[in-house]
Amino acid sequence: MDRTGPTARKLLLGSVWLLVALLLPSALGAAPSSSHPGAVTNFNLTSANANISLAVEGTGGTFWEGSYYPSAGGDGALTFGSGSPWGSDALSVNDSATPGAILWGNDGTLGAHVVSSGTTSSTTGYVLWVTPNLRINETYTILPVPGHPGEGFVEYNASVTNSGPTADIRLRFYFDTQLNSNDGAPFFVPGIGEVQNETTITAAWPYIEDYDNYNTPTIVGLFSPLPGSPSPYLTQLTAWPLSSGSNWSYTTNPTQTVTSDSAAQFFYDLGTMSSGTTSYAGIEYGLGQIGSGGGGTQGSARINAVSADRSQYNPGQSFSDEVTIGSTRTQSTSSTVNLAVWGPGDTSPSVTQNQDVTLRASSSVYSVAFSYANFTGSMPTPTGLYQVVATLTINGYNVSTGSTTVSVIPFTIGATHSPATPYSNQSIGFTVQVNLASATYTTLYIDGSAVSTWAAGGGTFNFVSTPLTAGHHTYNATSHNAGTLVSTSVYSFNVVTWTAQNPHQGGTTSSSPLSGILLPVIVAVVAILAAVLLLFLFLRRRKRAPLPPAAAPPAAPPPAPVAYAPPPTAPPAYAPPPSVPPSPPPYAPSPPPYAPPPPPPPPMG
């Protein structure tokens, strides 16, 4: 066999193509993109619903927030800059794999690595930095408060992917706070109270507020944790002239006031990140609500939760909602809670109620006292998704807002069965879903016969039937309200004859692992081993000496192998033809001459 001929080459080529077909998809899926869109150095976002705007300077990674609050009489700033993001707020990164490589957003060192920035929608934007070791993508999202124009906040979310060696990665969000014209805005922290001097916080906090005026505010800023983000391991409320140009570790001075020029910085530890891993951290900052720290009463109050008794309602169905209010105020305070239900496209709430509540006094600003407001009513008639919004008002100021989402669905009833195609000796499971809370009972029928009745309104009901005969069957469910039919549904299915060849018996279906995951894995492994074996045999045989070519088929008698072997047609030299008697060999000796017989013996005497 020719080991270097066309057949061997085809085998080798087939093995190579097999390996390529098996390995190429995963290789393509892992290939990173090396292109980046052109950088945009500045962009602006404005949310008409929340009347909050965000300006971002992409090259420096800084941003500025401004909002409109009705009682402020115009645009109210939340950070320094008056519409320009110059050095106002920034993201900074500390990469332990590069000693001394602290990239600051407000001095240009981080901005030098910007590869792209811009908006992805009317309320979302981003800045992308790529350093020798890190890929940092910070997104900005404006989130309005439904039904409350003039109230909203911005979500800052920074994701970091390590493309270099294993390193400890930390982030810092820095805010140069300014509320309206007050560049020295004071703060309020639950458990601490009003903050007018530099303060370091190492524990997690539920929220932090800042004000243009602590006792009689016209605008309030609110820092909130970003859901899913780690908590900052260090929070510092500082004097901006001292902290803005500091190193990564800044020591606060408890005697240093912040009311001349304030700032807040939040440090996040993303931990030890190996190459190829991604982590993120973020924070929310935006427009808070007047009255939470002012009104002449120490402490804060806010809505902690809005709880609906159901997640789904039928049109006109009654509801019962509870609003939970937490307060750190040191005096009992009269307040009002408003509950409003907003439907799709509503310009005014579909349902609105007010309830007076007396907020309980906490023992100090370090504890929380809870109060509750309960509401009952009927849901709107149009179907769709609704938001139930609760607003807490103190002394005429909106202090806090909370919400939950519910849906209004039509009067419906549905049923399903399992398995989809049962066998004649197999039990069948039925599930009936009733979206009709006003129903008093629901009945399931199979082939016209009632098999089960549930004396309940809306919900999910289950029933298991005995095996049915092979053929076509129907089932339906009906719901009644005090004997009046209010909803019905009809379905059909087939039952097939069970035989020994059926893939399952007794109501369960099982599949061999070979038909799912194991078989493709075995096939792939065998194919790879076969390709490797063919390649090995080919290379091994090429190293051996080539064998002589095979002899051609004989066309004539072969030549005499030795000198004394004449051709087959000639008799040998010493052999006469078969018809002639052989003659004595030429070398045979002549017979001896005649000799007389010996004399007789002498006579005996």
Side-chain angles (χ1 to χ4, degrees):
M1 176 181 176
D2 184 4
R3 271 77 174 178
T4 61
T7 301
R9 288 195 295 271
K10 289 179 181 178
L11 287 174
L12 176 61
L13 186 60
S15 302
V16 171
W17 275 115
L18 179 60
L19 288 174
V20 169
L22 291 170
L23 300 177
L24 184 59
S26 61
L28 290 177
S33 172
S34 59
S35 62
H36 300 292
V40 179
T41 57
N42 293 277
F43 63 86
N44 295 294
L45 296 171
T46 300
S47 172
N49 291 334
N51 291 322
I52 187 169
S53 64
L54 170 71
V56 178
E57 182 183 276
T59 55
T62 58
F63 50 86
W64 170 89
E65 282 191 59
S67 299
Y68 170 78
Y69 195 81
S71 64
D75 291 333
L78 290 175
T79 61
F80 178 83
S82 298
S84 170
W86 175 83
S88 178
D89 312 283
L91 175 74
S92 301
V93 183
N94 185 358
D95 175 11
S96 68
T98 308
I102 298 176
L103 303 174
W104 302 97
N106 59 345
D107 66 2
T109 56
L110 184 59
H113 297 281
V114 171
V115 297
S116 179
S117 64
T119 58
T120 54
S121 75
S122 61
T123 56
T124 57
Y126 74 98
V127 176
L128 174 65
W129 300 270
V130 177
T131 75
N133 291 335
L134 303 175
R135 178 186 176 92
I136 308 154
N137 186 41
E138 184 174 19
T139 59
Y140 313 93
T141 305
I142 294 177
L143 301 174
V145 177
H148 290 265
E151 301 171 9
F153 53 95
V154 178
E155 176 185 285
Y156 305 89
N157 190 344
S159 66
V160 179
T161 300
N162 183 15
S163 58
T166 299
D168 297 326
I169 307 297
R170 293 182 292 169
L171 295 177
R172 182 187 78 157
F173 291 92
Y174 188 90
F175 295 82
D176 181 2
T177 52
Q178 174 177 321
L179 278 296
N180 272 344
S181 60
N182 185 3
D183 196 17
F187 300 94
F188 172 83
V189 183
I192 296 177
E194 182 183 6
V195 175
Q196 296 194 19
N197 291 353
E198 287 194 329
T199 300
T200 292
I201 305 169
T202 57
W205 38 263
Y207 63 92
I208 295 176
E209 293 175 325
D210 52 357
Y211 314 90
D212 61 340
N213 185 294
Y214 184 76
N215 291 319
T216 57
T218 61
I219 187 170
V220 178
L222 177 68
F223 293 98
S224 302
L226 178 66
S229 168
S231 299
Y233 70 88
L234 181 67
T235 298
Q236 293 181 322
L237 308 178
T238 68
W240 179 85
L242 301 176
S243 63
S244 63
S246 66
N247 293 324
W248 190 264
S249 297
Y250 176 73
T251 302
T252 56
N253 179 358
T255 64
Q256 172 66 50
T257 62
V258 301
T259 51
S260 295
D261 195 347
S262 59
Q265 55 184 358
F266 306 89
F267 296 84
Y268 295 81
D269 188 356
L270 301 187
T272 301
M273 296 177 57
S274 58
S275 181
T277 58
T278 300
S279 297
Y280 82 95
I283 192 172
E284 296 173 350
Y285 181 54
L287 192 62
Q289 305 195 358
I290 294 176
S292 53
T297 303
Q298 183 72 22
S300 178
R302 65 190 297 113
I303 291 177
N304 284 20
V306 178
S307 304
D309 61 336
R310 297 174 62 87
S311 61
Q312 293 181 342
Y313 297 89
N314 295 131
Q317 182 179 351
S318 59
F319 67 83
S320 176
D321 294 344
E322 181 180 78
V323 178
T324 306
I325 308 153
S327 171
T328 59
R329 292 175 171 265
T330 55
Q331 301 176 19
S332 296
T333 307
S334 297
S335 63
T336 301
V337 177
N338 170 267
L339 189 77
V341 179
W342 294 80
D346 281 352
T347 57
S348 60
S350 302
V351 177
T352 182
Q353 298 181 28
N354 291 316
Q355 185 178 134
D356 293 334
V357 176
T358 299
L359 299 180
R360 302 173 184 174
S362 61
S363 58
S364 70
V365 295
Y366 300 96
S367 62
V368 179
F370 292 98
S371 303
Y372 304 91
N374 296 298
F375 295 86
T376 58
S378 298
M379 292 301 295
T381 300
T383 60
L385 197 65
Y386 286 78
Q387 282 197 311
V388 181
V389 180
T391 304
L392 174 65
T393 302
I394 301 177
N395 299 330
Y397 293 111
N398 292 340
V399 174
S400 179
T401 298
S403 65
T404 188
T405 301
V406 299
S407 58
V408 175
I409 58 178
F411 296 134
T412 60
I413 183 171
T416 58
H417 67 277
S418 178
T421 305
Y423 296 105
S424 54
N425 71 332
Q426 187 175 19
S427 298
I428 306 172
F430 293 87
T431 300
V432 180
Q433 176 68 46
V434 181
N435 296 326
L436 183 59
S438 59
T440 54
Y441 65 91
T442 298
T443 303
L444 175 68
Y445 297 84
I446 298 178
D447 295 332
S449 299
V451 293
S452 184
T453 296
W454 299 278
T460 301
F461 310 105
N462 297 294
F463 174 75
V464 178
S465 76
T466 57
L468 301 177
T469 59
H472 187 74
H473 296 268
T474 61
Y475 67 100
N476 66 293
T478 61
S479 291
H480 292 75
N481 187 338
T484 301
L485 179 65
V486 291
S487 183
T488 186
S489 60
V490 180
Y491 306 90
S492 63
F493 63 97
N494 290 316
V495 174
V496 299
T497 302
W498 183 88
T499 66
Q501 286 75 36
N502 287 143
H504 67 278
Q505 179 182 4
T508 59
T509 301
S510 61
S511 60
S512 168
L514 290 176
S515 64
I517 298 175
L518 186 58
L519 183 58
V521 172
I522 292 177
V523 171
V525 171
V526 170
I528 293 175
L529 291 177
V532 172
L533 179 60
L534 287 172
L535 186 61
F536 171 78
L537 292 176
F538 174 77
L539 296 176
R540 182 170 177 267
R541 288 174 178 173
R542 290 199 58 170
K543 293 181 180 179
R544 298 172 55 185
L547 297 175
V562 292
Y564 58 81
T569 56
Y574 54 84
S579 59
V580 180
S583 59
Y587 51 80
S590 302
Y594 173 81
M604 298 181 60

